[in-house]
Amino acid sequence: MERKDTSASWRWTVQRRCLTFDSVLFRDGDQFCHMGWKQLPHEGDRLESDASETKVLCSIAGCSAVFSSLKKYEAHYNINHQHVCSICHKIMPSAHLLEIHILETHDNMFGLLAASKNMYQCLLESCTEKFPTACSRHEHMKKVHKYPANFRFDRKKQDRNKPQSTSKSSFQTSQKVKTESYPVEVSSLMDVCTVMDTSGKIEMASNVDLNVPQASTCPSTENDLDVGAKGEGNYIPNSKFNTDTFKKQRKESSMQFPADELSTDLKQCRTEQETFICTNTGNGFQKSIGSLNSNGTSMEDCNTDKVSHKAPARKFTYKVPNNVCFGHGSAKSFQRSKKGFSKKTKEKHWHSTAGDDSITKVNIENVDMSDLSSALMDQ
Amino acid sequence: MDRKDKYKHYVENVEEIRSKRREEDIVLRKEKRDKLISAKRFRFGKDEPVDEDITTEEVINITKQLQKHGPHRLTILQTLRQAFSQGTVFIDAFFSVDNSLHYLVGLLTGTDVDLQLEAAWCITNISAGTHEHALAITKSAAPYLIIYLSSNNSMLQDQCAWAIGNLAGDGKECRSFLHAQGVVAPLVKLLQSPMPAVVQSSAFAISNIARESQEITRDIVQSGVIPLIPQYLTPKPEGRSILSEVAWVLTYISASGEHTETLVHFGILRLVVDLLVKLVSEQPLDGQTITPLMRCLGNICSGPDEYSLAACDNPRILHVLSQYLTSTIRHIIKETLWVLSNMAGEPHVCQSIASEPMLSLITKNLSLGFDIKQEALYVLCNIAWHGEEMTRHLVQQGVLHHIVPILKSSDVELLNLGLAFCEMALRMCPEGVHVMEHCDGVTQLEGLEYHRNEDLASKASHLLETYFYMGEEEVEELG
């Protein structure tokens, strides 16, 4: 009988195994190493400041910051003074973004060139794409590079007062994030500015942001008010508007009310922008439905928010204007003096003034109660 | 009806309850394991008093206060980041306050450098939290983190790299976001930084981001990471933490097999081998560093034979590997065996491996735990595969004696390997039959004939028929 050699089918051949990170073989080793990794305080990291007491003053004109060490000064300089636009003093975080800013904002030729070819380049250095409009570039950043819609370094100066739009994508994706019902925090967000839209910039339309203070079902914190210490929003004292115009415009126009928490370091920027804004008073507003209720937000607002995004002309804002009084907490709402702003008007609202403005006919202090007391004693 | 399924097991039968329970167990076990293998790191302050008693209400309170202007913000941020590192419940509390994240991002992009750094630290610790936390950070803060990687502030760079590392360690979704946001190029550039802390954080981030995706790994290699690595492959103690981080990066790069040539070209293979040689003499063994280096070597040697040969350019490597086989750290033994199995594909190396004292060390491992047994079997099978001479040599050295007992085990993988070796021994070595009969191998094979696994059963019976029942057949023919 022949010996059938069927072993050929399962005979061993050499096996060289290339294993990836999830291989079973590596599990023990992973546990070993990760056990050591999991809580790794960094050693020797914090570059401790020099022991010396040297005080370093920032040497840039207009900046009065003082530092306790050279390193801190260096850091301050790097952030605040290194990539600053010499024309509009806007602070950019990197040379690349500064370049783009100067090119797009301050170069007269740019507008002309942009008409004929794609000039708006992608904000990432590693991506070489160019686009015909800022709007299309913005879409590219959102869709391809997953940037948030309210990216702080992609705003034109004159639109700094306009909050940027909540894009559909970030709005929707942010809904996937676990949302919690946030109590509507109204107190710190009541800063309101009326903002001029430079009417010519239609292409920024879709960049207009919807500042949504959190309603109970509005998703998370991403599409938010520009509460930035950077001061990208601007506070404009409302002295130029009276209540009437305001109320009318509330119904018809778009108000973008960025909140602002201006840091003290931006004095020069602020004063410039302030003048800039004020001179633009009266430029056209875009239409919108300013359905503000006193809470500044509502469910309908969120819904219409989505709807409104399709029609770029309608903008929403949920900030409460400066001269609306709530009664409760009103003292605060009318005295938001930001440092560095000269108060155009020193007048206080009638709620918050002290007693001598009172127009009561009778001064309670001077009333003579003797009649009353004698009447009572008769009993 | 609706309320009923809120309590008790509203299921039809016992089977469903059991399967439900099993599923829950699986999920729990997985979570537990995942926690251990979590690739994220909280960052703790060094020598700082930790406020252990902070409550969620306090966190909510101070978060609200944070949004007011003033000098207290720095201390608030410090308290917050300590709280975050103690538990994700505090991160949840933070998120429950309106606009908290937005404000934090605002501080990150602001002009006060101290606040910026603390905000980045807070963000680092938040991104070490749950998946939702990491995703929220990725969507709103990550582009800024990436931009600040190229700032000139090294502390900020360090912190942002760490945060990005945590985000990347969260999972595929965050990783792909980061990739789209252009994280690779600036991160690789940071490897050139003169600050060791920055290098370490960026290596951590790179290794986390390279882990799962071949595409991202390709990008990383294209950004020129490999030439930057050799300078860190040094056994100096002060550079040790950087070395292990960089070694992990290498494991992920080498795992795909695409970049082996580039790795060898830049001398990485030689450096890794040299390092392994130097590290073996340290007491105690630095497992954190040796493990990734070993894996890198193993993956490179799983390629063409020339690399295994090139690895042996350092004459001490095989001796060193045999020393690792006796280490006290169990997984190092296992992974060393794996490396040897890959190297054994090359004939010359194979000869060296099959000689003493290496061989007896390998054979000894056949009596250890099943996973080590398995790797040892791989080595031996690969050796035997080379031909009659090798097989005969192995049998003469008594290897079969140790393999036969394995045929008693219940693990299918082990049985397959054992049978494969026996097949080669029987086929190529004339004494094989005798040895097997002598050490009771026939009985084992017969036991396997009726194994549940048909594949195994057929293999076993084939061996029996081919090598052990011949005599009977001849007798039958004659008779």
Side-chain angles (χ1 to χ4, degrees), chain B residues 20-31:
Chain B
K20 239 201 199 169
R21 172 65 69 78
R22 242 178 281 139
E23 279 170 31
E24 283 172 24
D25 278 344
I26 293 177
V27 167
L28 276 172
R29 246 181 283 137
K30 192 161 181 289
E31 270 182 32

Side-chain angles (χ1 to χ4, degrees), chain B residues 66 70-79 112 114-115 118:
Chain B
L66 182 68
H72 55 280
R73 293 187 288 182
L74 193 61
T75 33
I76 290 185
L77 285 177
Q78 285 167 344
T79 323
D112 184 330
D114 292 323
L115 289 181
E118 285 295 339

Side-chain angles (χ1 to χ4, degrees), chain A residues 1 3-7 10-21 24-47 67 72 75-76 78-80 82-83 91 93-94 97 124 126 144-148 150-153 173-174 176-178 180-186 188-189 212-214 221-230 232 261-266 332 339, chain B residues 33 35-44 46 64 67 69 92 95-96 98-99 101-103 105-107 109-111 113-114 116-118 121 132 136 139-140 143-144 147-148 152-155 158 162 177 180-182 195 197 200-201 211-212 248 252 254-255 287-288 291 295 299 301-303 305 329-331 334-335 338 341-342 345 371 375 378 381-382 385 417 419-420 423-424 427 459 462-463 466-467 470 473 477:
Chain A
M1 189 166 150
R3 190 194 308 185
K4 283 196 221 154
D5 196 2
T6 54
S7 70
W10 56 278
R11 250 184 237 178
W12 180 266
T13 48
V14 69
Q15 285 196 27
R16 297 184 197 85
R17 295 162 293 161
C18 179
L19 301 177
T20 52
F21 75 100
V24 175
L25 190 70
F26 288 159
R27 250 186 230 163
D28 286 348
D30 278 345
Q31 264 190 2
F32 179 92
C33 294
H34 282 279
M35 298 287 269
W37 276 3
K38 217 191 166 203
Q39 305 191 346
L40 185 77
H42 239 245
E43 328 106 38
D45 50 353
R46 290 288 211 161
L47 314 163
F67 304 96
K72 290 197 176 166
H76 161 84
N78 277 329
I79 294 293
N80 289 336
Q82 199 167 44
H83 305 293
I91 300 180
S94 73
L97 288 174
L124 283 182
S126 47
V144 176
H145 295 299
K146 311 280 197 257
Y147 266 42
N150 58 355
F151 186 63
R152 287 150 207 266
F153 303 121
T173 46
S174 64
K176 290 186 207 147
V177 177
K178 170 177 160 199
E180 321 212 40
S181 357
Y182 307 111
V184 177
E185 277 284 307
V186 156
S188 58
L189 305 173
V212 185
Q214 315 301 315
T221 47
E222 286 87 320
N223 7 307
D224 304 333
L225 301 152
D226 296 325
V227 185
K230 197 172 188 300
E232 64 270 12
E261 294 275 350
L262 297 165
S263 73
T264 48
D265 301 336
L266 286 180
K332 271 209 173 148
K339 296 178 204 172
Chain B
R33 214 191 67 216
K35 258 202 188 150
L36 287 174
I37 307 190
S38 159
K40 300 189 201 175
R41 308 175 190 171
F42 285 106
R43 180 171 189 168
F44 299 90
K46 190 176 157 206
K64 288 185 193 162
Q67 298 187 24
H69 221 66
D92 284 329
F95 272 105
S96 69
D98 259 2
N99 268 336
L101 180 61
H102 191 91
Y103 193 77
V105 176
L107 290 179
T109 54
T111 52
V113 283
D114 292 323
Q116 200 178 36
L117 202 52
E118 285 295 339
W121 193 332
E132 283 89 14
K139 286 185 183 156
S140 51
Y144 303 112
I147 290 181
Y148 286 129
N152 290 331
N153 181 342
S154 48
M155 290 204 284
D158 173 28
W162 194 324
F177 264 85
Q181 289 163 346
M195 303 290 320
Q200 185 170 344
S201 299
R211 236 158 45 139
E212 246 176 68
W248 281 105
Y252 302 130
S254 61
Q288 302 267 1
T291 309
R295 292 186 189 182
N299 275 333
C301 293
S302 72
D305 276 341
I329 306 178
R330 197 172 177 278
H331 75 269
K334 187 162 54 159
E335 299 189 11
W338 162 63
S341 75
N342 282 348
D371 48 351
E375 295 311 312
Y378 268 104
C381 286
N382 276 351
W385 168 79
L417 288 166
L419 282 176
E423 191 274 333
M424 282 190 281
R427 177 166 43 95
K459 285 184 189 172
H462 166 80
L463 286 179
T466 322
Y467 300 106
M470 303 174 319
E473 289 165 9
E477 280 182 3

Side-chain angles (χ1 to χ4, degrees), chain A residues 82-87 90-107 110 119-125 130 137 153:
Chain A
Q82 199 167 44
H83 305 293
V84 178
C85 175
S86 48
I87 305 170
K90 183 162 178 171
I91 300 180
M92 306 302 286
S94 73
H96 179 72
L97 288 174
L98 179 63
E99 220 179 280
I100 293 181
H101 162 81
I102 292 182
L103 188 67
E104 294 178 3
T105 325
H106 302 300
D107 187 347
F110 185 80
M119 290 287 289
Y120 287 86
Q121 39 176 317
C122 175
L123 297 180
L124 283 182
E125 283 184 74
K130 299 200 180 193
R137 195 251 315 269
F153 303 121

Side-chain angles (χ1 to χ4, degrees), chain B residues 441-451 460 464 469:
Chain B
V442 188
T443 338
Q444 311 295 357
L445 287 177
E446 284 170 349
L448 285 178
E449 258 192 302
Y450 303 100
H451 198 274
L464 285 168
Y469 295 161

